[in-house]
Every structure is written in C-alpha cells, then in structure tokens.
Amino acid sequence: MSVVRYERRGPVAVVTMNRPEYRNAQNSAMTYALDEAFYRAVADDEVKVIVLAGEGAHFSAGHDIGTPQRDAHQSFDRKAGLWWDHVGKEGAESRFARESEVYLGMCRRWREIPKPMIAMVQGACIAGGLMLAWVCDLIVASEDAFFSDPVVRMGIPGVEYFAHPWAMPPRIAKEFLFTGDRMPARRAYEVGMVNRVVPRDELEAQVLALAERIAAMPRMGLALAKKAVNQAEDLQGMHAGMDSVFGLHHLAHAHNAETSADSLAGMDPRSMKAAADGS
Ligand code: ZN
C-alpha cells in the first residue's frame, strides 16, 4: 500500500497521505512520496490546483517518532538541499543535515510550488502535521479539526518549519507554544490561521468546489499572486526568521542529547500523550 495516493479530479490533483493506522504520521518514505506527488501535479499542465489531504479520521499526527516504519536512520535520494547524507554521521552533524533536508528544506520547497495548494484538514493536525498544512496556501478545516504544537514539552521551541508567528498573531503563537494546547478549528479561524471551517461531512465537497473556482483563474496569474504574497511574508522576515529559529531548534536537540536520553528528551508518542493528559 502506497503511503501517498495521487488522483486527478478535473483540474485538481488530490494528494492524500495514506497511513491512517498511524494517523498519517510522516516518515521519510512519506516525505519523498509527497515530494514526488507534488512534482507530478506541477508537471501536469491540466492540473491547476493541488489539494493535500489525510486519509482516515486525522490529517496528521506529525513526524513519525515511534511507528514500526520509522525510517529516520535510512538514506534517501535527497531533493531539498546539498547537505551530505545524515546516515553515518554523529550528533548535530547528522541531525542538522537530516532536518535541513526532510523538514525545513522540503517544506520550503513545497511552499514555493507555483500552483495554489489547499490543505483539507480533519481531526488532528499536530506538530509536523502543522508544517504540512502551513506550506499550503489555504487551509480548510472541518469542525472537528484541531491544531497543536506540543514540542515545547521536549524542551524544543516549536517544529522545524517555524511559521508560527506568521500563521497567527505573535501573542497567540506564544500561548499556542507555551501551553501545547489544542487549538480548535473555530479558534484557528478566529485568529486567521484557517480560511474556512465546514461540517465534517461537507469537507471534501467544499474543498473541491473552492479548488475548482480557483482553477478557473489563469495559471500565470495564480503563480504570480502566490509568489507575491510569499515574497511579502519573506520581506516580513519569515525566511530569515525561520533560519534563525532552526538554529535554536538544533540547540535544543543538542542540549537534549547532552543532558537526557536522546535529542527528543526521551519523549515518544506515549509519553507525550501521558504528559498532555496529566496537565
Ligand atoms: Zn527537530
């Protein structure tokens, strides 16, 4: 079974993360399959808009930090940068190379895809899942959707693609990080992080209808409008800000590796859940 499904529906390419048994936790196999699917959609002249979806009850539980198919120690054919393979290196030399490629590098690459992308979010959208929603241009969430970045519990200042203070107002971003609490779809709408909140059973139809409306616009106009807004965000410091926070992120990983069981402060999905439930 493929970890990512690709379908064409008229002018819309629907790219679906397909590990529902693990709430679509993102391993590297999925990262590279997503990259391939997005490139396929960009190369297809009939495709005007890309929808990113998650199979099952949840959009994405984040990066794979504990399923049997966790593949953080494997080599892949790198696509996002020129850093060396992380495999066979130690410490920060390995972590920085890997996360530059599969997290920050891939997300930046996807944000620059010259066709509009819509995230179709239901259920959980946690940590690494946020990164996937945030690289999309629009986010449509169902009423049951929620968003959270609980990695401060690992002593880490947010996920690798640090869009937080651009995705929501800075003071809200601090609350989001400091508490690690779930932000319900309605609240995400109020703070401007999602475009629309719709009933769960209408999610797909509403996303496709929106995608088709956008698809009626000329390709070049859409690509330039997307680039215009992305450039404005970068002029507001997004690109440089993310680079500087990526350094803090890796300071935290290194501190954890020095002072605890591993670079994630010994946390796994179970202990993260237990810590959240106990608070
Ligand atoms: Zn990391």
Side-chain angles (χ1 to χ4, degrees), residues 65-66 70 150-155 256 260-276:
I65 59 170
R70 188 179 187 205
V151 306
V152 175
R153 229 181 272 290
M154 299 170 169
N256 285 341
S260 69
D262 58 33
S263 67
L264 301 179
M267 302 293 270
D268 61 17
R270 190 173 301 177
S271 55
M272 285 292 279
K273 186 172 186 315

Side-chain angles (χ1 to χ4, degrees), residues 99 103 160 249-250 253:
E99 297 204 341
Y103 297 153
E160 291 82 4
H249 182 98
H250 278 271
H253 275 317

Side-chain angles (χ1 to χ4, degrees), residues 22-167:
Y22 300 114
R23 301 194 297 167
N24 297 318
Q26 185 193 343
N27 57 8
S28 293
M30 182 186 280
T31 303
Y32 288 96
L34 284 172
D35 194 62
E36 206 179 300
F38 293 148
Y39 260 56
R40 182 173 168 189
V42 172
D44 184 343
D45 286 344
E46 303 298 314
V47 170
K48 299 286 291 292
V49 178
I50 302 166
V51 169
L52 175 60
E55 181 63 42
H58 302 282
F59 178 76
S60 173
H63 295 143
D64 187 343
I65 59 170
T67 82
Q69 288 84 40
R70 188 179 187 205
D71 52 12
H73 302 294
Q74 288 177 34
S75 292
F76 286 83
D77 187 12
R78 298 182 305 288
K79 304 275 190 196
L82 290 170
W83 273 76
W84 47 70
D85 192 356
H86 68 287
V87 175
K89 315 295 188 300
E90 290 194 273
E93 190 180 9
S94 175
R95 279 193 301 273
F96 193 87
R98 175 168 184 272
E99 297 204 341
S100 294
E101 161 74 14
V102 294
Y103 297 153
L104 184 59
M106 279 295 189
C107 284
R108 278 182 164 163
R109 177 176 160 98
W110 297 337
R111 173 179 177 253
E112 298 301 328
I113 285 171
K115 295 184 179 181
M117 292 176 60
I118 305 175
M120 179 163 90
V121 179
Q122 80 283 13
C125 180
I126 302 172
L130 283 173
M131 297 170 41
L132 297 174
W134 284 344
V135 297
C136 294
D137 304 295
L138 309 183
I139 301 175
V140 178
S142 59
E143 285 162 346
D144 66 308
F146 66 88
F147 302 84
S148 78
D149 186 354
V151 306
V152 175
R153 229 181 272 290
M154 299 170 169
I156 299 173
V159 286
E160 291 82 4
Y161 182 82
F162 193 77
H164 310 59
W166 288 272

